[in-house]
Amino acid sequence: MVRSASAASSISSSALPRRRRKQVSLLLPPITAGQSLTDTSSGFLCTSGRFRCAAAIASIALAVLLHIAGSGAHKNQKQHDDNVIISSWNANMETLTGSSRPFQYIGDLDPSEPQPWPEEEEDWHALHKTLVKRVEESDASAVNQVDNYLPQLIFYGDSITEGWNGTSFGNVPGPHRMWAAGEDESIRDVFANTFGDRSDWGKRALKPPLILGISGSKTYDFIWRVVNGEFPVSSLLDRAEETDNNGDDSVFQIEQLERIYILLVGTNNLGGGMLPEPTLKGMDAACRAILQLHEKHFPNTPAAMLFSELLPRKDDFRAVKMCPPRCKNVEKLVPYKSFMPGINKVNRALPDLLNGLREDFKNSHIILLSANNDASKVETNKQNSKANHSYTQVINCGEEMFAFDDINESDVYMPDRLHPNAEGYKLWSRCLKKGLDVILTR
């Protein structure tokens, strides 16, 4: 049925349905059968003739439509970018699975008993010897004579720690790391500008920092490395002067602090099929190995440690590869689909673990770096404290420890979903600097 012009004029604009999702209306005021195009009563003025007026109306409608289309362009572009990231990661899946080292089950090993890698793992042993040599060279080097000095930084850990050098087993990583060309140099620049010779810390440190990480390290081989040469033993300060602690070596003396140990280890225990409980046992033993060596070589002197939670990892294909023998359901060979439940279980237990360390090593300051999303929060646990010196602090770094809800955003900083790239190391360095600031303001 075709309506007459007079019938159409009886329909007011307010009676027509509107789209609730858009605030812009495409409706123009109605023009009745006897109404002039120059009539202003409708709120529309057109004095250039019917053809030109129609063209003007069409132009306005087109402009409105383009505006609406443009408002969705940003969303479409973001979705496109997200799809590109996902497609890139999926396209490299064959490279990731093909170039990664084969899965080796370690679930039955004692995570606290020092044990090196097998002799046939020549690259691991070669890098260990290189790191021992670097420690010996550092011990033999002269102390930086500066006023307002800062402690030497010792970075301990696995592939993420070794990554500060831009290497894996001493060499530039293969394509499975998914780093861009020149990424290794960019990461070394980040380190130099933040902690190394181009940074304020590096210029004021008693000695240059040491990066003592080996890819694939678990807690048991890390402990073996530390007790077999990867621990500096040279004194950096003259201790002939009297101190004001009245002989109480349980009081943390910041002015006597020579080194700060930065430790990240444990994720490869889970990656080797070890359960969270023994992984925690190994992490506790790794911390104790460092603090015990410190007490042995530097008795009655303070120790400081930044201990990191396990970083989030989204390389789920490696969790699937563990089955068998490490399966969610062994009988039906149902694999685990993610490492995150195990990582979360370990991380939730770390505050209590570190409180136990703090009670056993009185003259120490231990900071737990957490991926908790409350990035501005610093918690102090003073349970069972004595005076003002027995406590453990937790610094919640949030996204500065890669706690992203959006997997695509995480991929920007961890392209292989396990190891940071240069942008990722920039992000993590902010968290590390927060911990260092807390130690220095103790």
Side-chain angles (χ1 to χ4, degrees), residues 282-339:
M283 295 169 72
D284 178 75
C287 287
R288 291 179 181 275
I290 294 172
L291 296 174
Q292 288 167 355
L293 284 169
H294 181 91
E295 284 191 339
K296 175 183 177 181
H297 294 283
F298 312 109
N300 305 323
T301 63
M305 177 182 291
L306 294 185
F307 185 80
S308 178
E309 280 187 352
L310 300 185
L311 301 182
R313 56 185 296 178
K314 307 296 177 62
D315 56 330
D316 299 342
F317 72 92
R318 290 190 177 94
V320 174
K321 288 199 315 183
M322 295 191 302
C323 181
R326 178 62 68 210
C327 306
K328 189 174 183 179
N329 186 317
V330 178
E331 293 182 357
K332 297 183 179 180
L333 294 181
V334 177
Y336 286 98
K337 295 183 179 180
S338 171
F339 288 107

Side-chain angles (χ1 to χ4, degrees), residues 26 28 49 126 151 158 235-236 241 251 312 343 399 404 408 418:
L26 298 182
L28 296 174
D158 48 34
S235 294
L236 307 182
E241 298 181 2
V251 177
I343 286 177
E399 291 184 353
F404 294 104
N408 299 323
L418 177 59

Side-chain angles (χ1 to χ4, degrees), residues 96-142:
L96 281 163
T97 56
S99 300
S100 300
R101 299 175 78 89
F103 172 72
Q104 293 181 332
Y105 180 70
I106 63 167
D108 297 329
L109 296 179
D110 185 344
S112 62
E113 182 67 26
Q115 179 178 327
W117 280 27
E119 288 297 329
E120 56 266 24
E121 298 285 358
E122 297 179 359
D123 51 359
W124 187 91
H125 286 274
L127 183 52
H128 166 64
K129 292 178 181 178
T130 297
L131 298 184
V132 171
K133 184 177 180 180
R134 290 177 186 171
V135 171
E136 292 172 347
E137 291 173 349
S138 176
D139 279 339
S141 66

Side-chain angles (χ1 to χ4, degrees), residues 117-362:
W117 280 27
E119 288 297 329
E120 56 266 24
E121 298 285 358
E122 297 179 359
D123 51 359
W124 187 91
H125 286 274
L127 183 52
H128 166 64
K129 292 178 181 178
T130 297
L131 298 184
V132 171
K133 184 177 180 180
R134 290 177 186 171
V135 171
E136 292 172 347
E137 291 173 349
S138 176
D139 279 339
S141 66
V143 175
N144 187 17
Q145 301 295 331
V146 292
D147 296 329
N148 197 23
Y149 66 84
L150 292 171
Q152 182 185 26
L153 300 179
I154 312 296
F155 292 80
Y156 279 124
D158 48 34
S159 58
I160 297 176
T161 298
E162 184 187 350
W164 281 118
N165 277 324
T167 63
S168 175
F169 293 103
N171 301 297
V172 177
H176 61 283
R177 187 67 61 90
M178 295 181 67
W179 283 354
E183 197 82 44
D184 57 316
E185 296 180 3
S186 298
I187 294 172
R188 287 191 289 271
D189 285 340
V190 172
F191 187 85
N193 293 329
T194 310
F195 307 112
D197 56 1
R198 296 200 295 266
S199 68
D200 179 66
W201 192 291
K203 293 174 182 176
R204 293 171 53 193
L206 292 169
K207 286 189 177 183
L210 285 171
I211 301 173
L212 305 176
I214 298 183
S215 296
S217 283
K218 291 84 172 173
T219 55
Y220 55 84
D221 64 76
F222 169 76
I223 297 170
W224 186 91
R225 288 166 42 203
V226 172
V227 299
N228 283 275
E230 290 186 37
F231 187 85
V233 296
S234 61
S235 294
L236 307 182
L237 296 174
D238 183 3
R239 305 202 175 275
E241 298 181 2
E242 292 291 330
T243 63
D244 58 358
N245 63 355
N246 297 320
D248 184 2
D249 62 4
S250 68
V251 177
F252 186 84
Q253 297 285 311
I254 184 64
E255 65 276 4
Q256 297 182 38
L257 187 63
E258 297 184 355
R259 293 182 175 91
I260 299 176
Y261 308 105
I262 302 170
L263 177 60
L264 173 63
V265 70
T267 194
N268 289 316
N269 287 49
L270 295 176
M274 191 171 285
L275 293 173
E277 291 79 5
T279 296
L280 280 164
K281 177 183 176 182
M283 295 169 72
D284 178 75
C287 287
R288 291 179 181 275
I290 294 172
L291 296 174
Q292 288 167 355
L293 284 169
H294 181 91
E295 284 191 339
K296 175 183 177 181
H297 294 283
F298 312 109
N300 305 323
T301 63
M305 177 182 291
L306 294 185
F307 185 80
S308 178
E309 280 187 352
L310 300 185
L311 301 182
R313 56 185 296 178
K314 307 296 177 62
D315 56 330
D316 299 342
F317 72 92
R318 290 190 177 94
V320 174
K321 288 199 315 183
M322 295 191 302
C323 181
R326 178 62 68 210
C327 306
K328 189 174 183 179
N329 186 317
V330 178
E331 293 182 357
K332 297 183 179 180
L333 294 181
V334 177
Y336 286 98
K337 295 183 179 180
S338 171
F339 288 107
M340 288 310 300
I343 286 177
N344 291 334
K345 188 171 184 178
V346 168
N347 288 344
R348 284 194 297 268
L350 288 180
D352 288 339
L353 184 153
L354 265 64
N355 283 336
L357 288 172
R358 189 62 186 82
E359 287 299 311
D360 293 339
F361 299 92
K362 302 295 185 183

